[in-house]
């Protein structure tokens, strides 16, 4: 692992985990934001204060909106945060760190993507009118982008580290190679003079 690159992966995972302390999800009604919760509040669970709104048709207070709402701990948010923490740890392990970090980044990003389709049901599902909208804040998007970046960085490193390095032309395999009888250097078939020492290549040099 290159000295200049070994802290890139853990830094991305660390930043992704810190983004859970930022605004993650907000709830709006008729264009008015009524609640915002962070990623950590999604993990631990929280309460949303009662919604002081009016019914559209009668103009009377809707008792369903006039009470406090519990937002339970969201398993997908918990899983995404855990994968971010795992990514920090495995990125610092010398052996298999790239592959394990790649997996942690991919799974963490997938958990956040699945979170979009699951959150909000316990808050909005039992309202008489579908007036509460769920939107995602910049903390959510930053965390998702950082986890995807961690996956991409580690994928690139896995590909490049497994690619065989060619240090010189002598490392290239040559079919029907001709070897110099003087210095033993490998030359292309049909060569008359050695590319290394200039010695005349004889038929005995052919293998």
């Amino acid at each position: 692992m290159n000295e200049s690159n070994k802290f890139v992966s853990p830094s991305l995972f660390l930043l992704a985990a810190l983004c859970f302390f930022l605004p993650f999800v907000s709830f709006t009604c008729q264009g008015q934001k009524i609640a915002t919760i962070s990623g950590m509040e999604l993990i631990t669970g929280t309460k949303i204060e009662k919604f002081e709104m009016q019914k559209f048709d009668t103009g009377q207070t809707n008792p369903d909106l006039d009470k406090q709402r519990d937002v339970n701990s969201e398993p997908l948010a918990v899983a995404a945060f855990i994968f971010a923490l795992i990514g920090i740890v495995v990125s610092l392990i010398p052996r298999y760190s790239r592959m394990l970090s790649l997996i942690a980044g991919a799974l963490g990003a997938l958990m956040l993507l699945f979170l979009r389709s699951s959150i909000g049901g316990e808050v909005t599902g039992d309202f008489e009118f579908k007036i509460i909208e769920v939107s995602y804040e910049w903390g959510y998007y930053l965390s998702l982008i950082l986890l995807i970046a961690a996956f991409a960085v580690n994928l690139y490193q896995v590909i490049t580290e497994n690619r065989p390095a060619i240090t010189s032309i002598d490392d290239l395999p040559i079919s029907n190679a001709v070897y110099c009888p003087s210095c033993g250097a490998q030359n292309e078939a049909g060569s008359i003079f050695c590319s290394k020492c200039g010695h005349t290549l004889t038929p005995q040099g052919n293998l």
Side-chain angles (χ1 to χ4, degrees):
M1 189 183 304
N2 294 335
E3 189 70 24
S4 59
N5 294 331
K6 69 178 182 178
F7 293 114
V8 174
S9 180
S11 297
L12 290 172
F13 281 113
L14 176 60
L15 291 174
L18 291 176
C19 286
F20 278 78
F21 293 91
L22 301 174
F24 238 60
V25 179
S26 63
F27 302 94
T28 59
C29 181
Q30 294 180 301
Q32 180 182 359
K33 186 178 293 187
I34 54 181
T36 300
I37 58 178
S38 67
M40 288 307 298
E41 288 174 319
L42 278 180
I43 293 173
T44 60
T46 187
K47 293 181 181 293
I48 297 178
E49 297 300 324
K50 64 181 181 179
F51 305 148
E52 300 286 352
M53 307 296 293
Q54 300 292 320
K55 276 191 175 179
F56 298 114
D57 51 355
T58 64
Q60 298 180 3
T61 301
N62 185 347
D64 194 34
L65 296 175
D66 206 20
K67 60 183 179 182
Q68 195 177 59
R69 290 275 166 179
D70 291 331
V71 178
N72 297 325
S73 176
E74 176 54 57
L76 291 173
V78 175
F81 185 70
I82 290 175
F83 282 124
L85 297 180
I86 291 175
I88 298 173
V89 176
V90 299
S91 294
L92 300 174
I93 300 175
R95 192 175 186 183
Y96 305 125
S97 65
R98 294 298 186 190
M99 186 61 66
L100 294 175
S101 299
L102 184 154
I103 295 172
L107 292 177
L110 283 175
M111 293 303 103
L112 288 183
L113 290 174
F114 291 150
L115 183 66
R116 291 183 64 89
S117 60
S118 68
I119 195 171
E122 71 274 15
V123 178
T124 64
D126 56 350
F127 280 130
E128 182 179 352
F129 299 103
K130 300 295 182 180
I131 60 176
I132 305 298
E133 296 180 356
V134 179
S135 58
Y136 293 85
E137 297 290 332
W138 53 290
Y140 169 85
Y141 289 108
L142 276 178
S143 182
L144 177 61
I145 291 171
L146 288 166
L147 287 172
I148 293 175
F151 165 78
V153 166
N154 285 285
L155 177 62
Y156 173 78
Q157 291 295 333
V158 167
I159 293 174
T160 55
E161 287 176 1
N162 292 334
R163 183 182 301 164
I166 299 176
T167 56
S168 68
I169 192 171
D170 292 335
D171 295 331
L172 288 169
I174 301 176
S175 177
N176 299 322
V178 177
Y179 293 88
C180 177
S182 176
C183 67
Q186 180 178 265
N187 295 269
E188 292 185 3
S191 299
I192 299 176
F193 299 100
C194 176
S195 60
K196 186 173 182 179
C197 68
H199 190 276
T200 301
L201 300 178
T202 63
Q204 288 78 12
N206 294 328
L207 297 181

